[in-house]
Amino acid sequence: MINTLLICGGGGSEHQVSLRTADFIERQLCELEEVALERVEMDGNGRLTDRHGQVRRLDQDRMLRDENGGAWEVHYVIPAIHGYPGETGDLQSLLDLFGIPYYGCGPEASKICFNKVTTKLWLSALGIDNTPYQYLSSREPEELAKASMALEEWGQVFVKASNQGSSVGCYKVSSTQELDRALEQAFALSPYVLVEKCLKVRELEVAVYPYEGKLVITPPGEVCAPAGSFYSYEEKYSDASRAVTHVEAPGLSEAQVSWIHEAARRAFVGLQLKDLSRIDFFLTESGEIYLNEVNTFPGMTSISMFPKMMAHAGHDFRRYMANLIRAAVNRQS
Ligand SMILES: Nc1ncnc2c1ncn2[C@@H]1O[C@H](COP(=O)(O)OP(=O)(O)O)[C@@H](O)[C@H]1O
Ligand SMILES: [Mg+2]
């Protein structure tokens, strides 16, 4: 038996979404005979509780302990946490320290991809096109002037807190008043802020993962935000979402698909990603293709693209997970 610990929640702005992702993973894994699954929810202080509300603690000797002296040896961890401290790589650092193998990217790749500024530096270093931007490191007048100039030059911009996901801290801005407010809100959420040129785009994304010894990059899927809006937190997760998704984007040319595949491969390999990622692209009206972001732990709710694109590619999530868990635990022993 491989004792697998599913850690979800995290206490941040994406806590609830993480629980839904964990539900999906749990449903898949409970059908695997060789996997014994325990699920714990983490709060904002790193405290773990199990499904009975009992406090649990993961110790350096890889034991998951309860308050009655019970202990369960952990062989593998699934950090199902969007945002801090899972998708940001912090929990993975601790797991590395304890020597417990886990699902997904290591701390370094996670950290790089979670910071929208750092991601851009890496993308440019890897020769992957990304949207024009300005970067603000403080609210000093000369930094704020960069944002005003960007708005003037581009007419409309996206202000983004650098260390957030799920469209939290992401604002579409068309006027100076909106800019001031957006910068204030973004700086309240993260130490760095990105001001990006707002483009009229189609939003394409690929799932990237190893399957039976090969790195798979799926055909691009597409999310269509409702007219006049963008792909906000609401549109991503609410039941009333008006966003339309296509598991395979219609009407792309072969050249466009291969361009996207080449960029996705370069990002996955160059950033040393592991096990999974959803890589998001913008296709602009004039035909440029920009890599928007790399999600090292994409959503896996019932309406999420990663599992849908994997299924569409004819791959079985259960088999994929079983292979990863088995291989990681074998490497360990
Ligand atoms: N430069 C841009 N031009 C047009 N739309 C954008 C731009 N940047 C972001 N968006 C819109 O905002 C959404 C969220 O931005 P994104 O950078 O993907 O942040 P998050 O990490 O929160 O998903 C995108 O899915 C898209 O709808
Ligand atoms: Mg996004």
Side-chain angles (χ1 to χ4, degrees):
M1 270 293 178
I2 304 175
N3 291 349
T4 300
L5 180 65
L6 178 63
I7 306 181
C8 56
S13 55
E14 297 173 271
H15 186 99
Q16 291 304 326
V17 182
S18 300
L19 303 188
R20 285 163 63 185
T21 289
D23 291 342
F24 172 81
I25 295 175
E26 189 176 351
R27 273 200 305 279
Q28 303 286 326
L29 292 194
C30 66
E31 291 183 30
L32 291 177
E33 277 173 8
E34 74 252 61
V35 170
L37 193 74
E38 273 281 352
R39 170 174 172 159
V40 289
E41 189 171 325
M42 185 185 273
D43 72 9
N45 298 313
R47 205 165 82 129
L48 306 176
T49 43
D50 65 18
R51 31 180 128 239
H52 311 293
Q54 288 252 18
V55 175
R56 298 289 196 99
R57 197 182 65 231
L58 180 62
D59 286 327
Q60 164 272 332
D61 60 359
R62 307 179 200 174
M63 290 294 183
L64 182 72
R65 294 201 160 78
D66 61 32
E67 290 182 314
N68 306 318
W72 189 72
E73 185 174 3
V74 176
H75 303 131
Y76 188 79
V77 169
I78 301 175
I81 296 178
H82 305 300
Y84 179 77
E87 198 176 346
T88 52
D90 299 274
L91 179 55
Q92 290 79 349
S93 291
L94 188 75
L95 297 172
D96 280 344
L97 189 68
F98 291 179
I100 309 176
Y102 50 85
Y103 178 51
C105 293
E108 188 70 29
S110 302
K111 191 102 319 48
I112 293 167
C113 295
F114 198 74
N115 183 317
K116 293 182 191 302
V117 178
T118 323
T119 304
K120 281 183 160 295
L121 302 179
W122 271 81
L123 293 178
S124 299
L126 291 166
I128 301 169
D129 296 337
N130 53 91
T131 43
Y133 72 102
Q134 281 288 344
Y135 150 70
L136 276 65
S137 62
S138 76
R139 303 183 63 193
E140 293 297 312
E142 65 271 25
E143 288 290 286
L144 296 179
K146 285 201 246 169
S148 311
M149 275 158 61
L151 178 62
E152 203 168 304
E153 184 183 344
W154 295 327
Q156 197 169 44
V157 295
F158 263 86
V159 171
K160 299 180 185 178
S162 64
N163 301 58
Q164 293 288 332
S166 288
S167 300
V168 176
C170 186
Y171 313 97
K172 193 175 185 174
V173 164
S174 318
S175 69
T176 314
Q177 292 90 319
E178 281 174 2
L179 183 66
D180 292 343
R181 196 174 143 67
L183 289 173
E184 191 177 321
Q185 289 176 321
F187 270 117
L189 291 169
S190 75
Y192 320 104
V193 169
L194 207 61
V195 177
E196 244 180 60
K197 181 177 183 177
C198 179
L199 302 159
K200 230 171 155 350
V201 295
R202 284 180 69 183
E203 299 192 53
L204 307 172
E205 41 195 58
V206 292
V208 188
Y209 50 88
Y211 197 82
E212 305 193 324
K214 279 218 310 260
L215 186 67
V216 176
I217 306 175
T218 64
E222 180 166 15
V223 298
C224 311
S229 179
F230 68 100
Y231 204 36
S232 62
Y233 186 90
E234 269 292 294
E235 297 302 343
K236 281 174 182 170
Y237 303 113
S238 112
D239 291 333
S241 172
R242 292 162 300 154
V244 173
T245 61
H246 300 285
V247 74
E248 194 161 342
L252 297 180
S253 71
E254 240 171 73
Q256 286 170 326
V257 172
S258 69
W259 179 273
I260 288 171
H261 278 190
E262 170 54 27
R265 180 180 304 280
R266 221 187 274 177
F268 197 95
V269 173
L271 286 159
Q272 297 189 25
L273 307 184
K274 180 169 90 59
D275 298 344
L276 79 164
S277 70
R278 198 196 69 226
I279 304 189
D280 298 350
F281 291 85
F282 288 153
L283 169 60
T284 71
E285 275 186 320
S286 44
E288 288 107 344
I289 295 172
Y290 292 126
L291 199 160
N292 174 41
E293 63 171 341
V294 177
N295 297 279
T296 54
F297 192 68
M300 298 187 201
T301 70
S302 58
I303 55 167
S304 296
M305 290 296 275
F306 181 85
K308 279 192 189 171
M309 291 192 285
M310 180 184 278
H312 181 69
H315 297 146
D316 181 49
F317 193 87
R318 234 163 278 155
R319 187 146 156 197
Y320 152 78
M321 281 306 294
N323 283 339
L324 290 180
I325 295 175
R326 229 179 274 133
V329 172
N330 284 343
R331 264 198 305 279
Q332 189 79 357
S333 49

